Amino acid sequence: MNNPAILTPTEARTLIREGKWNKPTSGMAAGYTQANLAILKKELAFEFLLFCQRNPKPCPVLDVTEAGSPVPQLIAPDADIRTDIPAYRVYKHGELVDEVPDILSYWEDDMVAFLLGCSFTFEQAMLKNNIPVRHIEEDCNVPMYQTNIPCIKAGRFEGPMVVSMRPVPEKDVVRAVQVTSRFPAVHGAPVHVGNPASIGIRDIHRPDFGDSVTVKEGEVPVFWACGVTPQAVAMHMKPEIMITHAPGHMFITDMHEEQYSVL
């Protein structure tokens, strides 16, 4: 695929479903909202929904499926969340046990899928404002880090916030905050700017998820809340099973990014 940015969401999901795209989805179907995935058994669904409601920065809910249904009716009614993501992670009792291209063999009739907003959505707005997005430039995954910022507990769910990082030239930091603040449904404004150690990140060149990117002279690391947070929570809470997207491998919705923007 020479230019994945021009794909429609349906075309992008078809490529993924057919196994023709197994890379991170940043830059695919430009202008359309991407989503994180978290799948749990129905018995835990209310507690997780409450966790998301209490932690809207890392876990902004875009859609929740009916129990047993793989179809996200609100954001992509012709999609199947079991096959339309390039890579999935399967956690059992808090341990990562598998990474697979589909979850047909894991799906059960009492499962509920949560689609959460993703910061890939506002990257086109950053680019339109001449703010660089380094992982797109370097054709790799966005770097993500576990922090010392605690999420607000809900039922049995608790754990640390995960953040994504994009290096921004010092002169553009204020503009980056303004641009991304328009998208509260997909993490919105940064949660931290500057010193990584202040939020518990020991080495910015060794992310917990994703890939390391170049931070150039005159650039500042800027951190946004990240929808990989449920994976950190899963490792802490240890549910019987939790299925998520592999970091950076998102679900592409039918919703245009401007539908989630604040004017």
Side-chain angles (χ1 to χ4, degrees):
M1 182 67 226
N2 292 329
N3 187 3
I6 65 173
L7 293 170
T8 67
T10 297
E11 290 170 341
R13 292 194 300 265
T14 298
L15 270 183
I16 292 166
R17 189 180 306 167
E18 294 176 350
K20 297 176 181 177
W21 185 278
N22 56 13
K23 301 184 293 183
T25 54
S26 178
M28 286 189 87
Y32 288 91
T33 299
Q34 298 198 23
N36 301 274
L37 174 71
I39 297 173
L40 289 157
K41 296 273 199 172
K42 183 180 179 181
E43 65 183 32
L44 290 174
F46 172 76
E47 286 180 44
F48 186 70
L49 185 62
L50 184 61
F51 177 83
C52 294
Q53 189 270 333
R54 290 179 178 174
N55 298 278
K57 285 292 280 187
C59 300
V61 177
L62 303 182
D63 201 354
V64 182
T65 66
E66 300 283 349
S69 171
V71 180
Q73 291 286 350
L74 297 182
I75 59 175
D78 69 341
D80 187 327
I81 52 89
R82 301 172 300 179
T83 58
D84 294 357
I85 288 175
Y88 300 81
R89 286 188 169 182
V90 181
Y91 292 88
K92 290 189 175 181
H93 303 288
E95 298 292 330
L96 177 62
V97 298
D98 208 356
E99 185 165 312
V100 291
D102 68 67
I103 53 167
L104 292 169
S105 63
Y106 284 104
W107 185 259
E108 298 179 21
D109 289 341
D110 63 344
M111 285 181 163
V112 177
F114 293 81
L115 285 307
L116 310 174
C118 171
S119 59
F120 284 176
T121 301
F122 58 56
E123 289 177 346
Q124 289 301 311
M126 292 177 69
L127 292 171
K128 288 176 182 176
N129 281 269
N130 297 313
I131 301 167
V133 179
R134 187 61 34 75
H135 61 275
I136 292 181
E137 294 175 356
E138 298 184 349
D139 192 25
C140 63
N141 204 351
V142 66
M144 292 159 273
Y145 309 83
Q146 239 181 96
T147 71
N148 60 10
I149 304 170
C151 292
I152 299 172
K153 184 178 179 181
R156 288 163 281 183
F157 288 94
E158 60 181 321
M161 184 185 297
V162 174
V163 295
S164 61
M165 187 278 291
R166 294 161 184 81
V168 176
E170 290 181 359
K171 66 181 179 61
D172 294 326
V173 168
V174 171
R175 187 59 178 161
V177 173
Q178 292 171 330
V179 168
T180 58
S181 295
R182 294 183 54 237
F183 296 89
V186 291
H187 305 305
V191 295
H192 182 68
V193 175
N195 185 7
S198 298
I199 54 174
I201 299 171
R202 295 181 180 177
D203 186 348
I204 200 170
H205 300 294
R206 295 175 62 87
D208 297 300
F209 309 93
D211 300 315
S212 179
V213 297
T214 305
V215 181
K216 299 178 181 178
E217 186 175 350
E219 291 183 334
V220 178
V222 182
F223 301 89
W224 283 264
C226 179
V228 173
T229 296
Q231 299 188 31
V233 169
M235 288 182 269
H236 188 277
M237 187 263 187
K238 305 184 190 311
E240 175 189 349
I241 186 169
M242 184 177 198
I243 302 172
T244 71
H245 64 292
H249 299 69
M250 317 307 298
F251 179 78
I252 298 173
T253 80
D254 292 341
M255 310 299 286
H256 197 277
E257 62 188 26
E258 286 300 323
Q259 292 177 262
Y260 292 112
S261 70
V262 176
L263 299 178

